[in-house]
Amino acid sequence: MEPTNNTKRIEQYLANELSAEQKNAFKNTLSQDAALQKELAQQIAIHEAAQRANARVQIKKVAKSYHFYKNIVTLSLIVAIMGVAGIVGYFLLKDNLESSPKQNLENSNKENQIHPTLLTQLASNAPINNLQSDFFTWNGSDSVIISKNGVLLSIPKDALLLDGKPYNEPAIIQWQEALDAPTIMKSGLSTTSNGKLLETQGMFGLEAYTKDGKKLSVNPNVGIYVQVPVDQYKKGMQLFKGEKDKTGMINWVNPTPLQKIPVPVDMKDLNFYPKGYEETLNKLKLPQGRKYRDSLYASLEEGNFEEIDKINKIEIAQIKVNGVEIKINPSAKLNLDILDFKVDVIKTEENTLEKESTSIFRLNSEIIFYKDLFSLNKNQNQDPCTITFNDSSEKTKYLYKPNILNVSTLRGTKTTDGTSTIEHDFSIKSRLKKIPIQFNFYFEVLTYKNEILKYEIVCKTTIFQNIYKSKSIPPSKVLAFWNKKFNNTNLATREFEARMKEIHPTCKAEVLALYVNNLNKNISDIDHQVVNMGYTTFEEFAKEQVGALNPNNPHLNSLIKFYDQTAKEISEKTSQLIAKQLKREKVFDSELAQSRMKETDRAILRKVQASNEEYELNLNNVYKQLGKEKSSIRQITNKTIGVTIINSGVYNIDKYVMDATVSRTSTVITDPETGKTAKITYNDFSFQVKDANKYPKLFAYLFPSKLNSYQHISGTNGSFTYPLNDDIVYHLAIVGINEDGFFYYEQKNIKEGKLGEIVLEKLTEKEMDQRIDALNESRGIIKPMKIKDELGWLVKEQKYYVETKRRMEQARFVRRMKRVVFPCYKEKEEGSAEEEISDNPMKN
Amino acid sequence: MNPLKENEKELQQLYKKLPEVKRFLHTFGCRSLDSEDIFQEALLIYTRKKQEATFTLSVEPIHYVKNICKLLWYNQARKTGKQNSVELSDELLVIESSTWFQKEMALQVVEQTLAKLGKQCQEILQLVYGLGWNMVEVAKKVGLRNDKVAKAQKYRCIQKAKELTSETTLEF
């Protein structure tokens, strides 16, 4: 029957014989034609079935030979015994390289019954006169022999011929070697080729005989592989064949280039890490396992960011607030070192954002920095990055990097045409040309209930630029082939292992790619290519003339695909892990920012309450001293301070008291009407904290006996001065925080004085909580101000120091490892700006 | 070494385990006559599987082959409605339900159908798709005038094969 057009077309399509045009046309038809799709599937299946059929032929062949050999098992046993004897001989040789191979031959003589006179006869007819002959027995199958000078002979099955036919019976190998100058001269060997003088790295002679003394020849299709140890590789060494002339002198002719076949080694026994990587980890006593070391190595991969020249992504989400659509128009400009970013939020309809007048909307923006930004700061005298906010003319320098930075909160202003606009305009100027930054904008609406309705991220602008990608060999590209899949290829050899050690310092991934993508080529061909790329260190390798291992392996192509895919997977997985880490840090930073924001609110509240209360106390005192009835004159509540004024005198007294309270200075007030005086006394009070510089955060709480509130005071370099109200007895608590935990001191019932130097003692978080709490409660007042939130904040701050230390240590470790792993990684001095901690990147 | 040779060498080694595999299958009630066929099919699957770049062996090859034998016998016994004393481990159940295994089973049927083709057709298809020979080589080997004639013949063989296999379900 004749094939249909469809059948032909599909065959051509599958064999990739169609032109691009025809192919597209075919694909188009295919996508619409279910019947054709079925035919395609059918033909693919036929191809695969044919493959199976072919494989089955091979299996049947194996089955046939299995059943055949089972029948002649007795015969094969005899061969096997001889084989075993041979193997023992080989191991003996291997274990006692120093011992003479003759010894070994004598052992095997007993088995093979070679007459000693035959050996003497063969020795006298040796290919090289005056040079000692060594004899080995060859057992008739693949075997390796090592001579007394370490020359390796590999004689495979079918390597020897008797009368032109493969001879796989036990044979005698006669071996002569002259590797050093004295031996060469003693044996009178020439080093001339047709009259020209040659430099030699060894000469050897080889003959093979049956055990009856019949001469065997070497099968030119199989060959015997000889590997000679040399002190150094010399360029242009070739193999010459020796021809005896009439006088018995040897002339060396027919030069052929030498080629060394790389020896396969299991991937698990090879090491492709850069020089110094393992040594450094060992020095740091880090875990030994491959799994740990591989993942650490992978994590050092640089350039997890896409390289781009411009802003690559602006996502605009349409959001609706109370049914009204809000339009966000982000626009951004980027040139090489200045980044300008502008966001307009335009409300489209009049007054529809929220009906209630108290509601406002605001835009919160965050800048997320990626780690490497600050580790790249080479010159410590320059700011790595300056951020200028055009909105607020705020200029901030950051030495220590927070992962996340709340830039500003902008409130929308309403214009007469009923639209509201937020213009958010700031620029980041960086010494470093390229910085990886991500902006996130959040749109928030505050309702009249003072709830914050947070809307989704409305604009996420990712400006990932590849920060300074130092040239390097990406770890993923190394780990991808360091895998048993690549066993028995050029890569799983000691030869490539040695090259890999030199590929790392080139920092050029292309060099590695050459070796990986050309598994079918001789290693020496690639060595030459690399030399031509300008890497002269590879000249030594090129001289070695290393060939290829299994260049005809049909799986090489799929291995390369597997390699690319694996490298990608490793790199992606690592990026994910890093992203996860960043996310965790981001959560931490944002929680910290929240906690600090609340602390700011609390501080204001506390200050207001404390000064109001103290003012009331002082005022009462003064009135009492002046003999006036205060309660009849004023309502004392926080809300009505300064509101009810009966006469000017009282007002004056209030004013004096207020001034004294705020400035905390002793004051004498005279009543102009009565001439009576009243005194407000503030006593000097001071103390110093020992080793104050040990605590990045150090402050004191004063709990007054008569007031509900408490005071939070800060010192300067550990010195605290705070005048105490003579009418009040205070409890003092001092808190120091650093990455190691909490440090604390407390003293009760203080009126005044110099406490001198105070030593803080270390407490656990729980102990500190309990003691401050107890101190707060023990003031003998009815409603002491709650301190729980304050303690929560302290805990968070302490964690911040721990976190900071961890991040810095990690950054330092990563930098150290990068310097080891990537020889081209830009060096940076230790102890530079980046390692200083700015106490608080977000203003506290 | 030539990979074909290498594969043959491994198959030879594996084939020596035939008695062991027979005993193994016998415990599940498989007759000796069937067991060698099953063993060969398992070796075939192993050979094909090995060529996949993503395939990794977690056990010795012979254990893998034995597992596949068990799976094949389970399948065969189920089809012929024989009493089934085989219980599959989770690992085998995963293989049993995997796409590739189902596909192999379907391809086995197609392969049996191909055996109904003429000798020359079978040879051409095997040389082209099994060994990847080009049409010039194929023409020489099967004794056709030139590569064009061989190609035309290949199309005819495919057409014939399609007709023979049109009954087979090919969706996998």
Side-chain angles (χ1 to χ4, degrees):
Chain A
M1 75 207 50
E2 283 311 302
T4 63
N5 278 339
N6 273 357
T7 302
K8 278 190 196 168
R9 253 302 129 97
I10 292 171
E11 280 303 299
Q12 285 165 341
Y13 171 72
L14 290 173
N16 211 3
E17 290 169 350
L18 296 180
S19 69
E21 231 170 274
Q22 289 170 320
K23 206 165 156 183
N24 282 335
F26 177 79
K27 276 186 185 164
N28 268 338
T29 323
L30 187 67
S31 62
Q32 290 153 14
D33 187 343
L36 188 64
Q37 286 166 18
K38 206 180 159 200
E39 282 187 65
L40 175 68
Q42 208 180 2
Q43 280 176 235
I44 293 173
I46 289 167
H47 292 185
E48 290 214 51
Q51 274 173 17
R52 279 179 70 98
N54 181 59
R56 196 178 295 278
V57 170
Q58 197 188 9
I59 290 165
K60 294 261 190 218
K61 200 172 126 198
V62 169
K64 207 169 154 190
S65 82
Y66 167 78
H67 291 292
F68 175 72
Y69 280 111
K70 215 170 66 175
N71 295 333
I72 52 164
V73 67
T74 28
L75 181 64
S76 90
L77 268 179
I78 295 162
V79 176
I81 288 163
M82 288 194 286
V84 168
I87 290 164
V88 170
Y90 165 58
F91 280 117
L92 274 174
L93 268 173
K94 211 176 143 194
D95 291 338
N96 308 296
L97 274 185
E98 300 305 315
S99 74
S100 162
K102 259 187 178 166
Q103 190 94 39
N104 171 48
L105 187 71
E106 279 159 20
N107 289 340
S108 40
N109 274 349
K110 285 168 198 157
E111 299 271 350
N112 294 322
Q113 293 171 346
I114 297 171
H115 204 277
T117 51
L118 174 60
L119 293 184
T120 322
Q121 197 192 332
L122 294 178
S124 62
N125 287 329
I128 304 171
N129 303 334
N130 308 324
L131 187 60
Q132 192 202 325
S133 291
D134 293 328
F135 295 95
F136 305 97
T137 46
W138 179 65
N139 59 31
S141 62
D142 296 356
S143 46
V144 172
I145 296 164
I146 295 172
S147 81
K148 62 181 173 191
N149 286 316
V151 175
L152 179 146
L153 292 168
S154 167
I155 311 173
K157 199 180 159 206
D158 296 340
L160 299 174
L161 298 175
L162 179 64
D163 303 327
K165 282 177 192 152
Y167 179 81
N168 290 323
E169 302 281 314
I172 302 164
I173 306 296
Q174 181 178 30
W175 176 249
Q176 289 178 297
E177 59 193 13
L179 300 179
D180 52 353
T183 318
I184 290 169
M185 282 185 285
K186 252 196 312 198
S187 55
L189 280 166
S190 76
T191 54
T192 54
S193 170
N194 297 329
K196 278 186 287 181
L197 205 59
L198 294 175
E199 186 187 2
T200 182
Q201 281 198 309
M203 300 171 178
F204 44 85
L206 178 130
E207 291 287 1
Y209 300 93
T210 65
K211 59 182 181 180
D212 314 324
K214 277 184 208 150
K215 197 168 175 176
L216 297 169
S217 58
V218 176
N219 185 347
N221 297 326
V222 179
I224 293 176
Y225 174 65
V226 179
Q227 193 171 308
V228 185
V230 290
D231 296 335
Q232 67 173 123
Y233 288 106
K234 287 181 182 161
K235 208 176 173 178
M237 279 287 156
Q238 300 195 81
L239 184 68
F240 288 77
K241 194 171 183 297
E243 270 182 2
K244 278 187 194 174
D245 64 12
K246 282 171 200 159
T247 62
M249 281 296 280
I250 292 175
N251 183 32
W252 299 101
V253 294
N254 290 341
T256 46
L258 291 173
Q259 202 187 57
K260 185 177 149 197
I261 297 169
V263 183
V265 180
D266 197 287
M267 275 292 181
K268 71 177 191 309
D269 298 327
L270 292 164
N271 185 334
F272 296 109
Y273 292 131
K275 268 181 210 158
Y277 175 68
E278 294 224 275
E279 289 82 341
T280 310
L281 295 183
N282 292 343
K283 227 194 278 174
L284 296 171
K285 299 203 166 55
L286 287 164
Q288 292 278 351
R290 259 285 305 273
K291 208 174 162 189
Y292 167 80
R293 297 197 161 183
D294 277 359
S295 66
L296 174 64
Y297 180 47
S299 76
L300 297 171
E301 181 148 334
E302 291 213 333
N304 291 311
F305 307 103
E306 292 287 313
E307 187 163 15
I308 52 145
D309 295 326
K310 54 180 197 278
I311 290 163
N312 69 343
K313 204 165 136 196
I314 296 180
E315 282 172 11
I316 305 169
Q318 294 288 329
I319 63 157
K320 281 185 178 177
V321 178
N322 287 355
V324 177
E325 202 167 89
I326 307 239
K327 230 198 222 160
I328 317 285
N329 293 332
S331 61
K333 252 188 333 201
L334 183 77
N335 60 40
L336 270 181
D337 48 19
I338 299 175
L339 180 83
D340 267 309
F341 199 83
K342 197 171 181 180
V343 177
D344 301 326
V345 178
I346 301 164
K347 187 157 73 74
T348 47
E349 278 176 48
E350 187 181 355
N351 199 26
T352 42
L353 189 66
E354 268 285 328
K355 292 277 187 283
E356 286 72 16
S357 59
T358 48
S359 67
I360 52 168
F361 66 96
R362 65 187 185 192
L363 185 74
N364 273 350
S365 52
E366 283 176 354
I367 301 183
I368 298 174
F369 294 97
Y370 285 84
K371 279 198 175 313
D372 306 45
L373 175 55
F374 289 82
S375 64
L376 296 171
N377 180 23
K378 207 174 170 186
N379 186 341
Q380 46 181 303
N381 297 322
Q382 277 180 294
D383 305 325
C385 181
T386 310
I387 300 173
T388 316
F389 303 106
N390 300 349
D391 321 272
S392 54
S393 357
E394 190 180 354
K395 199 174 176 189
T396 322
K397 292 173 183 175
Y398 293 99
L399 292 176
Y400 165 66
K401 168 198 70 76
N403 264 332
I404 182 167
L405 180 67
N406 273 62
V407 174
S408 57
T409 300
L410 296 158
R411 292 179 179 194
T413 49
K414 227 176 267 177
T415 55
T416 44
D417 63 356
T419 63
S420 292
T421 305
I422 291 180
E423 280 204 8
H424 192 19
D425 187 5
F426 59 87
S427 49
I428 293 180
K429 196 167 185 177
S430 169
R431 242 182 10 83
L432 307 157
K433 294 266 180 201
K434 290 184 171 184
I435 45 172
I437 282 180
Q438 181 178 322
F439 292 94
N440 286 341
F441 294 95
Y442 298 92
F443 189 75
E444 292 178 338
V445 175
L446 267 72
T447 68
Y448 65 99
K449 289 175 199 154
N450 227 10
E451 285 174 326
I452 300 173
L453 302 175
K454 202 163 182 177
Y455 288 87
E456 293 294 300
I457 301 169
V458 291
C459 165
K460 184 172 171 179
T461 302
T462 312
I463 306 170
F464 275 159
Q465 300 177 77
N466 200 353
I467 46 156
Y468 166 83
K469 197 171 182 180
S470 69
K471 281 185 196 157
S472 67
I473 306 293
S476 60
K477 299 263 181 194
V478 176
L479 296 173
F481 73 75
W482 194 355
N483 179 304
K484 67 176 177 189
K485 283 266 180 234
F486 285 84
N487 273 345
N488 293 314
T489 67
N490 282 351
L491 303 181
T493 59
R494 291 281 172 216
E495 284 77 8
F496 181 68
E497 186 185 40
R499 280 157 183 74
M500 193 64 223
K501 285 275 177 264
E502 292 305 320
I503 292 173
H504 284 294
T506 65
C507 307
K508 204 148 168 90
E510 287 86 340
V511 175
L512 175 60
L514 274 180
Y515 286 98
V516 175
N517 293 332
N518 293 299
L519 296 178
N520 55 347
K521 283 195 187 163
N522 287 335
I523 292 181
S524 68
D525 293 348
I526 302 160
D527 293 336
H528 283 295
Q529 263 178 286
V530 176
V531 171
N532 289 338
M533 285 167 78
Y535 298 102
T536 47
T537 41
F538 282 72
E539 276 171 4
E540 283 300 311
F541 289 134
K543 282 183 201 164
E544 289 175 22
Q545 295 282 5
V546 178
L549 187 64
N550 296 330
N552 300 318
N553 184 341
H555 308 314
L556 288 183
N557 277 336
S558 58
L559 272 178
I560 297 210
K561 258 186 231 157
F562 171 79
Y563 171 77
D564 288 339
Q565 188 193 330
T566 311
K568 214 174 131 203
E569 274 168 17
I570 292 172
S571 165
E572 275 169 8
K573 205 171 155 195
T574 310
S575 296
Q576 280 166 11
L577 284 174
I578 290 173
K580 211 168 149 190
Q581 164 88 345
L582 279 174
K583 198 175 163 194
R584 196 195 68 78
E585 290 181 2
K586 190 181 150 178
V587 167
F588 181 89
D589 286 345
S590 105
E591 279 172 10
L592 181 72
Q594 290 270 317
S595 160
R596 283 175 173 171
M597 223 141 77
K598 282 184 187 151
E599 163 63 12
T600 315
D601 292 348
R602 256 198 325 274
I604 294 168
L605 198 74
R606 191 169 56 214
K607 230 173 171 172
V608 169
Q609 193 182 340
S611 76
N612 282 348
E613 283 182 359
E614 196 167 345
Y615 167 69
E616 285 300 325
L617 184 95
N618 286 341
L619 201 63
N620 282 335
N621 232 330
V622 167
Y623 275 92
K624 215 165 151 191
Q625 289 181 43
L626 296 178
K628 293 201 172 192
E629 275 295 316
K630 180 172 146 271
S631 55
S632 64
I633 308 165
R634 293 178 74 250
Q635 284 280 318
I636 304 168
T637 68
N638 287 347
K639 285 174 189 161
T640 55
I641 281 176
V643 174
T644 320
I645 301 170
I646 302 294
N647 57 49
S648 61
V650 174
Y651 174 75
N652 279 342
I653 292 169
D654 284 12
K655 175 84 167 70
Y656 287 133
V657 173
M658 180 61 96
D659 285 350
T661 311
V662 170
S663 64
R664 305 192 75 78
T665 43
S666 300
T667 310
V668 179
I669 298 165
T670 313
D671 187 344
E673 287 174 15
T674 60
K676 280 188 182 170
T677 58
K679 253 174 100 181
I680 301 169
T681 309
Y682 279 95
N683 300 319
D684 286 344
F685 171 67
S686 67
F687 56 90
Q688 288 85 43
V689 175
K690 199 185 175 195
D691 297 329
N693 56 2
K694 262 172 48 187
Y695 314 107
K697 232 183 184 59
L698 179 68
F699 44 78
Y701 291 110
L702 282 168
F703 300 98
S705 59
K706 291 183 180 168
L707 309 179
N708 290 327
S709 59
Y710 58 88
Q711 273 123 353
H712 169 127
I713 58 174
S714 315
T716 323
N717 299 327
S719 283
F720 291 76
T721 311
Y722 194 79
L724 301 183
N725 194 318
D726 193 51
D727 266 339
I728 303 171
V729 177
Y730 293 90
H731 295 339
L732 168 72
I734 308 171
V735 178
I737 302 177
N738 66 21
E739 68 269 17
D740 298 328
F742 300 98
F743 298 82
Y744 183 74
Y745 173 83
E746 70 174 40
Q747 191 172 336
K748 287 185 177 174
N749 306 322
I750 299 169
K751 291 276 300 179
E752 62 179 311
K754 287 182 180 170
L755 297 186
E757 196 174 62
I758 287 171
V759 179
L760 304 187
E761 64 167 316
K762 191 164 189 266
L763 286 186
T764 63
E765 181 189 326
K766 204 175 159 194
E767 284 167 340
M768 189 199 64
D769 268 16
Q770 284 169 349
R771 292 193 48 184
I772 295 188
D773 227 12
L775 205 62
N776 188 28
E777 299 289 334
S778 73
R779 296 191 268 160
I781 45 172
I782 304 150
K783 274 166 74 184
M785 190 185 236
K786 284 274 172 281
I787 199 157
K788 203 176 162 220
D789 291 345
E790 186 76 7
L791 294 175
W793 166 71
L794 285 181
V795 169
K796 193 80 203 171
E797 284 294 336
Q798 199 274 329
K799 282 189 183 142
Y800 166 71
Y801 291 109
V802 177
E803 176 73 8
T804 302
K805 193 183 175 193
R806 186 192 67 75
R807 285 187 201 177
M808 287 201 315
E809 272 170 1
Q810 188 179 339
R812 207 174 291 145
F813 173 68
V814 166
R815 273 196 313 282
R816 178 174 180 179
M817 290 317 296
K818 280 194 175 179
R819 279 198 294 272
V820 172
V821 167
F822 306 122
C824 303
Y825 183 73
K826 291 254 167 83
E827 289 278 331
K828 215 190 101 332
E829 296 298 314
E830 280 292 335
S832 64
E834 119 217 30
E835 277 161 21
E836 292 169 25
I837 318 168
S838 108
D839 173 45
N840 192 346
M842 304 167 214
K843 282 189 195 137
N844 192 356
Chain B
M1 202 194 294
N2 177 332
L4 257 174
K5 274 258 153 62
E6 205 171 332
N7 185 39
E8 189 174 316
K9 209 167 170 185
E10 187 182 11
L11 286 174
Q12 279 166 1
Q13 291 303 318
L14 289 172
Y15 219 97
K16 287 181 189 157
K17 309 277 181 173
L18 175 65
E20 183 187 328
V21 173
K22 277 187 169 176
R23 278 196 300 277
F24 172 71
L25 284 173
H26 187 73
T27 57
F28 303 117
C30 174
R31 282 181 311 134
S32 167
L33 210 65
D34 291 333
S35 60
E36 188 161 357
D37 287 344
I38 287 175
F39 182 52
Q40 288 186 4
E41 179 66 28
L43 286 175
L44 181 70
I45 286 175
Y46 168 67
T47 312
R48 283 169 61 76
K49 207 57 194 150
K50 218 170 49 165
Q51 286 164 5
E52 288 173 16
T54 48
F55 177 67
T56 38
L57 260 184
S58 52
V59 292
E60 289 289 304
I62 187 62
H63 290 299
Y64 184 82
V65 171
K66 274 165 87 174
N67 265 335
I68 296 292
C69 283
K70 188 175 170 186
L71 192 52
L72 289 168
W73 169 241
Y74 170 83
N75 247 326
Q76 187 178 318
R78 195 177 48 183
K79 261 185 222 155
T80 51
K82 276 190 194 142
Q83 202 196 352
N84 205 339
S85 62
V86 190
E87 267 188 48
L88 294 184
S89 63
D90 289 350
E91 186 192 356
L92 284 183
L93 280 172
V94 169
I95 298 179
E96 143 85 356
S97 57
S98 67
T99 331
W100 72 262
F101 186 77
Q102 297 300 332
K103 183 177 154 189
E104 284 301 319
M105 292 299 95
L107 285 174
Q108 191 187 11
V109 178
V110 181
E111 187 198 337
Q112 283 159 5
T113 316
L114 290 190
K116 292 177 194 155
L117 290 171
K119 277 266 172 305
Q120 194 191 50
C121 267
Q122 284 188 44
E123 194 178 4
I124 290 174
L125 294 183
Q126 283 181 30
L127 291 174
V128 174
Y129 303 112
L131 294 173
W133 285 23
N134 64 40
M135 295 317 291
V136 179
E137 294 167 332
V138 172
K140 211 170 155 192
K141 171 90 180 172
V142 298
L144 289 168
R145 203 164 63 242
N146 58 35
D147 54 331
K148 287 206 180 65
V149 178
K151 201 173 201 169
Q153 182 60 21
K154 183 190 85 174
Y155 288 152
R156 276 187 218 107
C157 297
I158 291 279
Q159 189 64 45
K160 176 82 186 151
K162 273 170 88 174
E163 274 165 37
L164 288 171
T165 56
S166 56
E167 299 302 312
T168 322
T169 313
L170 288 167
E171 280 164 27
F172 33 70

